[in-house]
C-alpha cells in the first residue's frame, strides 16, 4: 500500500530545531537575570549577545550577518538588536520585526533575512516575508535598506 507524506509517522523536531528551542530558553533565562538592570544596560547587553552570536558564525554567514546588522542598525536605529532562537533579530517594543538566519543554522544552502508580521511590508494580498542571501552587492544592500525602512514605517 503506497504511503503519502501525510500518513507518515511524525518523527519530532530536527536536531537543529531542538537546538534553536534550547537557545531560546537560554535567551529567556539570560533576559530574566537582567531584570534589575536599566533599559539601556539591557539593550547594550542584548546587542553584545547578538554581536557574539555573529562572531561565532562561519566566514560566509558572519560576513553577511555583520553587514546586515550594520544596515539594520543604521536604517532603523529604533530597532533593538536581540537574540531570537539563537539568531540575530531586531525588535520594536520587544516584538521581532526582522531576523537573520545563517545558512549553517538549519543546514540550508543560503542565509535568510526574514520579516515578521510586525513589519509594515504589506502589499496587496501577498508579499515576500523572507529573502535568500548569498552575497551582499550594492543593489542588494540598497534594497535591504529600503525594506527595513518600510518595515518600521
Amino acid at each position: 500500500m503506497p504511503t503519502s507524506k501525510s500518513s507518515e509517522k511524525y518523527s519530532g523536531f530536527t536536531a537543529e530545531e531542538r537546538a534553536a528551542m534550547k537557545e531560546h530558553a537560554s535567551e529567556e533565562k539570560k533576559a530574566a537575570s537582567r531584570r534589575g538592570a536599566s533599559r539601556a544596560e539591557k539593550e547594550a547587553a542584548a546587542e553584545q549577545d547578538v554581536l557574539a552570536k555573529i562572531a561565532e558564525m562561519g566566514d560566509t554567514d558572519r560576513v553577511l550577518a555583520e553587514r546586515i546588522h550594520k544596515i539594520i542598525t543604521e536604517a532603523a536605529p529604533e530597532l533593538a538588536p536581540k537574540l531570537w532562537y539563537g539568531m540575530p533579530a531586531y525588535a520594536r517594543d520587544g516584538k521581532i520585526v526582522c531576523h537573520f538566519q545563517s545558512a549553517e543554522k538549519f543546514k540550508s544552502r543560503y542565509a535568510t533575512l526574514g520579516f515578521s508580521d510586525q513589519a509594515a511590508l504589506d502589499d496587496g494580498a501577498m508579499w515576500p516575508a523572507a529573502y535568500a542571501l548569498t552575497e551582499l552587492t550594492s543593489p542588494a544592500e540598497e534594497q535591504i535598506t529600503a525594506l527595513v525602512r518600510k518595515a518600521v514605517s
Side-chain angles (χ1 to χ4, degrees):
M1 173 188 257
T3 62
S4 68
K5 288 213 178 244
S6 62
S7 66
E8 291 177 9
K9 185 176 179 182
Y10 174 68
S11 61
F13 295 105
T14 66
E16 293 82 9
E17 291 168 331
R18 285 190 303 275
M21 288 185 284
K22 285 179 183 177
E23 283 185 278
H24 182 65
S26 176
E27 293 158 13
E28 292 296 314
K29 185 177 179 181
K30 191 180 281 188
S33 72
R34 295 179 180 153
R35 286 210 170 95
S38 71
R39 180 182 176 130
E41 289 171 329
K42 289 177 190 176
E43 288 177 357
E47 183 165 17
Q48 287 307 309
D49 292 343
V50 167
L51 294 173
K53 182 59 72 175
I54 290 171
E56 293 173 4
M57 294 178 185
D59 291 342
T60 303
D61 285 332
R62 188 183 68 254
V63 169
L64 289 172
E66 288 171 345
R67 190 68 192 126
I68 291 294
H69 178 77
K70 186 173 195 296
I71 291 168
I72 292 171
T73 56
E74 288 178 0
E78 64 270 33
L79 294 180
K82 65 185 278 182
L83 289 177
W84 182 63
Y85 291 94
M87 297 178 282
Y90 304 85
R92 179 175 38 206
D93 300 325
K95 296 181 179 176
I96 302 300
V97 173
C98 58
H99 71 281
F100 175 83
Q101 180 178 302
S102 70
E104 183 179 30
K105 183 158 188 75
F106 292 103
K107 298 180 177 136
S108 176
R109 65 184 179 92
Y110 50 79
T112 306
L113 175 62
F115 292 87
S116 76
D117 62 336
Q118 298 297 310
L121 296 178
D122 303 37
D123 185 18
M126 186 174 97
W127 58 90
Y131 296 82
L133 298 170
T134 56
E135 67 176 313
L136 286 177
T137 61
S138 290
E141 289 184 12
E142 290 172 16
Q143 185 179 6
I144 292 167
T145 299
L147 281 166
V148 170
R149 287 184 177 146
K150 183 177 179 185
V152 297
S153 64

